[in-house]
CSV table of all heavy atoms in Angstrom, one decimal:
chain,number,residue,atom,x,y,z
A,375,SER,N,-3.7,-8.5,-10.3
A,375,SER,CA,-3.8,-9.9,-10.5
A,375,SER,C,-4.3,-10.3,-11.9
A,375,SER,O,-4.0,-11.3,-12.5
A,375,SER,CB,-4.6,-10.6,-9.4
A,375,SER,OG,-6.0,-10.4,-9.6
A,376,LEU,N,-5.2,-9.4,-12.4
A,376,LEU,CA,-5.8,-9.6,-13.7
A,376,LEU,C,-4.7,-9.4,-14.8
A,376,LEU,O,-4.7,-10.1,-15.8
A,376,LEU,CB,-7.0,-8.7,-13.9
A,376,LEU,CG,-8.2,-9.0,-13.0
A,376,LEU,CD1,-9.3,-8.0,-13.2
A,376,LEU,CD2,-8.7,-10.4,-13.1
A,377,ILE,N,-3.9,-8.5,-14.6
A,377,ILE,CA,-2.8,-8.2,-15.5
A,377,ILE,C,-1.8,-9.5,-15.5
A,377,ILE,O,-1.5,-10.0,-16.6
A,377,ILE,CB,-2.0,-7.0,-15.2
A,377,ILE,CG1,-2.9,-5.8,-15.4
A,377,ILE,CG2,-0.7,-6.9,-15.9
A,377,ILE,CD1,-2.2,-4.5,-15.9
A,378,LEU,N,-1.5,-10.0,-14.3
A,378,LEU,CA,-0.7,-11.1,-14.2
A,378,LEU,C,-1.3,-12.3,-14.9
A,378,LEU,O,-0.6,-13.0,-15.7
A,378,LEU,CB,-0.4,-11.5,-12.7
A,378,LEU,CG,0.3,-10.4,-11.9
A,378,LEU,CD1,0.4,-10.9,-10.5
A,378,LEU,CD2,1.7,-10.1,-12.5
A,379,ALA,N,-2.6,-12.5,-14.7
A,379,ALA,CA,-3.3,-13.6,-15.4
A,379,ALA,C,-3.2,-13.4,-16.9
A,379,ALA,O,-3.0,-14.4,-17.7
A,379,ALA,CB,-4.7,-13.7,-14.9
A,380,GLY,N,-3.4,-12.2,-17.4
A,380,GLY,CA,-3.3,-11.9,-18.8
A,380,GLY,C,-2.0,-12.2,-19.4
A,380,GLY,O,-1.9,-12.6,-20.6
A,381,LEU,N,-0.9,-12.1,-18.6
A,381,LEU,CA,0.4,-12.3,-19.1
A,381,LEU,C,0.6,-13.8,-19.5
A,381,LEU,O,1.5,-14.1,-20.3
A,381,LEU,CB,1.5,-12.0,-18.1
A,381,LEU,CG,1.7,-10.5,-17.8
A,381,LEU,CD1,2.6,-10.3,-16.6
A,381,LEU,CD2,2.2,-9.7,-19.0
A,382,VAL,N,-0.2,-14.7,-18.9
A,382,VAL,CA,-0.1,-16.1,-19.3
A,382,VAL,C,-1.3,-16.7,-20.0
A,382,VAL,O,-1.2,-17.8,-20.6
A,382,VAL,CB,0.1,-17.0,-18.0
A,382,VAL,CG1,1.4,-16.5,-17.3
A,382,VAL,CG2,-1.0,-16.8,-17.0
A,383,ALA,N,-2.4,-15.9,-20.1
A,383,ALA,CA,-3.6,-16.4,-20.8
A,383,ALA,C,-3.3,-16.5,-22.3
A,383,ALA,O,-2.6,-15.7,-22.8
A,383,ALA,CB,-4.8,-15.6,-20.4
A,384,GLU,N,-4.0,-17.5,-22.9
A,384,GLU,CA,-3.9,-17.6,-24.4
A,384,GLU,C,-4.7,-16.5,-25.0
A,384,GLU,O,-5.8,-16.2,-24.6
A,384,GLU,CB,-4.5,-18.9,-24.7
A,384,GLU,CG,-4.0,-19.5,-26.1
A,384,GLU,CD,-4.4,-21.0,-26.2
A,384,GLU,OE1,-5.7,-21.2,-26.1
A,384,GLU,OE2,-3.6,-21.8,-26.2
A,385,GLY,N,-4.0,-15.8,-26.0
A,385,GLY,CA,-4.8,-14.7,-26.6
A,385,GLY,C,-4.7,-13.4,-25.8
A,385,GLY,O,-3.9,-13.2,-25.0
A,386,GLU,N,-5.7,-12.5,-26.1
A,386,GLU,CA,-5.7,-11.2,-25.5
A,386,GLU,C,-6.7,-11.1,-24.3
A,386,GLU,O,-7.8,-11.7,-24.4
A,386,GLU,CB,-6.2,-10.2,-26.6
A,386,GLU,CG,-5.1,-9.7,-27.5
A,386,GLU,CD,-5.4,-8.4,-28.2
A,386,GLU,OE1,-6.6,-8.0,-28.2
A,386,GLU,OE2,-4.5,-7.9,-28.9
A,387,THR,N,-6.2,-10.4,-23.3
A,387,THR,CA,-7.1,-10.1,-22.1
A,387,THR,C,-7.2,-8.6,-22.1
A,387,THR,O,-6.1,-7.9,-22.1
A,387,THR,CB,-6.4,-10.7,-20.8
A,387,THR,OG1,-6.3,-12.1,-20.9
A,387,THR,CG2,-7.2,-10.3,-19.6
A,388,THR,N,-8.4,-8.1,-22.0
A,388,THR,CA,-8.6,-6.6,-21.9
A,388,THR,C,-9.1,-6.3,-20.5
A,388,THR,O,-10.2,-6.9,-20.1
A,388,THR,CB,-9.6,-6.2,-23.0
A,388,THR,OG1,-9.1,-6.6,-24.2
A,388,THR,CG2,-9.8,-4.7,-23.0
A,389,ILE,N,-8.4,-5.4,-19.8
A,389,ILE,CA,-8.8,-5.1,-18.4
A,389,ILE,C,-9.4,-3.7,-18.4
A,389,ILE,O,-8.8,-2.7,-18.8
A,389,ILE,CB,-7.6,-5.1,-17.5
A,389,ILE,CG1,-7.0,-6.6,-17.4
A,389,ILE,CG2,-8.0,-4.7,-16.1
A,389,ILE,CD1,-5.6,-6.7,-17.8
A,390,ASP,N,-10.6,-3.6,-17.9
A,390,ASP,CA,-11.4,-2.3,-17.9
A,390,ASP,C,-11.2,-1.7,-16.5
A,390,ASP,O,-10.8,-2.4,-15.5
A,390,ASP,CB,-12.8,-2.6,-18.2
A,390,ASP,CG,-13.5,-1.3,-18.6
A,390,ASP,OD1,-12.9,-0.2,-18.5
A,390,ASP,OD2,-14.7,-1.4,-19.0
A,391,ARG,N,-11.6,-0.4,-16.4
A,391,ARG,CA,-11.6,0.3,-15.1
A,391,ARG,C,-10.1,0.3,-14.5
A,391,ARG,O,-10.0,0.0,-13.3
A,391,ARG,CB,-12.6,-0.3,-14.1
A,391,ARG,CG,-14.0,-0.2,-14.6
A,391,ARG,CD,-15.0,-0.5,-13.5
A,391,ARG,NE,-16.3,-0.4,-14.1
A,391,ARG,CZ,-17.4,-0.6,-13.4
A,391,ARG,NH1,-17.3,-0.9,-12.1
A,391,ARG,NH2,-18.6,-0.5,-13.9
A,392,ILE,N,-9.2,0.6,-15.3
A,392,ILE,CA,-7.8,0.5,-14.8
A,392,ILE,C,-7.4,1.7,-14.0
A,392,ILE,O,-6.2,1.8,-13.6
A,392,ILE,CB,-6.8,0.3,-16.0
A,392,ILE,CG1,-7.0,1.4,-17.1
A,392,ILE,CG2,-6.9,-1.1,-16.6
A,392,ILE,CD1,-5.8,1.4,-18.0
A,393,TYR,N,-8.3,2.6,-13.7
A,393,TYR,CA,-8.0,3.8,-12.8
A,393,TYR,C,-7.6,3.2,-11.4
A,393,TYR,O,-6.8,3.8,-10.7
A,393,TYR,CB,-9.1,4.8,-12.7
A,393,TYR,CG,-10.4,4.2,-12.3
A,393,TYR,CD1,-10.8,4.0,-11.0
A,393,TYR,CD2,-11.4,3.9,-13.3
A,393,TYR,CE1,-12.0,3.5,-10.6
A,393,TYR,CE2,-12.6,3.3,-12.9
A,393,TYR,CZ,-12.9,3.1,-11.6
A,393,TYR,OH,-14.1,2.6,-11.2
A,394,HIS,N,-8.2,2.0,-11.1
A,394,HIS,CA,-7.8,1.4,-9.9
A,394,HIS,C,-6.2,1.1,-9.9
A,394,HIS,O,-5.6,1.3,-8.9
A,394,HIS,CB,-8.5,0.0,-9.7
A,394,HIS,CG,-9.9,0.2,-9.5
A,394,HIS,ND1,-10.5,0.7,-8.3
A,394,HIS,CD2,-11.0,-0.1,-10.2
A,394,HIS,CE1,-11.8,0.7,-8.4
A,394,HIS,NE2,-12.1,0.2,-9.5
A,395,LEU,N,-5.8,0.7,-11.0
A,395,LEU,CA,-4.3,0.3,-11.1
A,395,LEU,C,-3.4,1.5,-11.0
A,395,LEU,O,-2.4,1.5,-10.3
A,395,LEU,CB,-4.1,-0.3,-12.5
A,395,LEU,CG,-2.9,-1.2,-12.8
A,395,LEU,CD1,-3.0,-2.5,-12.0
A,395,LEU,CD2,-2.8,-1.5,-14.2
A,396,ASP,N,-3.9,2.6,-11.6
A,396,ASP,CA,-3.0,3.8,-11.6
A,396,ASP,C,-2.9,4.4,-10.2
A,396,ASP,O,-2.0,5.3,-10.0
A,396,ASP,CB,-3.6,4.8,-12.6
A,396,ASP,CG,-3.5,4.3,-14.1
A,396,ASP,OD1,-2.6,3.4,-14.3
A,396,ASP,OD2,-4.4,4.6,-14.9
A,397,ARG,N,-3.7,4.0,-9.3
A,397,ARG,CA,-3.6,4.5,-7.9
A,397,ARG,C,-2.3,4.0,-7.3
A,397,ARG,O,-1.8,4.7,-6.4
A,397,ARG,CB,-4.8,4.0,-7.1
A,397,ARG,CG,-6.1,4.6,-7.6
A,397,ARG,CD,-7.2,4.3,-6.6
A,397,ARG,NE,-6.8,4.7,-5.2
A,397,ARG,CZ,-7.6,4.6,-4.2
A,397,ARG,NH1,-8.8,4.1,-4.3
A,397,ARG,NH2,-7.2,5.1,-3.0
A,398,GLY,N,-1.9,2.8,-7.7
A,398,GLY,CA,-0.8,2.2,-6.9
A,398,GLY,C,0.4,1.7,-7.7
A,398,GLY,O,1.3,1.2,-7.0
A,399,TYR,N,0.3,1.8,-9.0
A,399,TYR,CA,1.5,1.3,-9.8
A,399,TYR,C,1.9,2.3,-10.7
A,399,TYR,O,1.1,2.8,-11.5
A,399,TYR,CB,1.1,0.0,-10.6
A,399,TYR,CG,0.9,-1.2,-9.7
A,399,TYR,CD1,-0.4,-1.6,-9.2
A,399,TYR,CD2,2.0,-2.0,-9.3
A,399,TYR,CE1,-0.5,-2.7,-8.4
A,399,TYR,CE2,1.8,-3.1,-8.5
A,399,TYR,CZ,0.5,-3.5,-8.0
A,399,TYR,OH,0.4,-4.6,-7.2
Side-chain angles (χ1 to χ4, degrees):
S375 76
L376 297 176
I377 291 214
L378 297 180
L381 290 171
V382 298
E384 204 166 58
E386 279 197 347
T387 298
T388 303
I389 297 121
D390 198 356
R391 300 194 180 180
I392 53 165
Y393 55 84
H394 290 291
L395 199 68
D396 295 332
R397 295 190 52 178
Y399 288 95

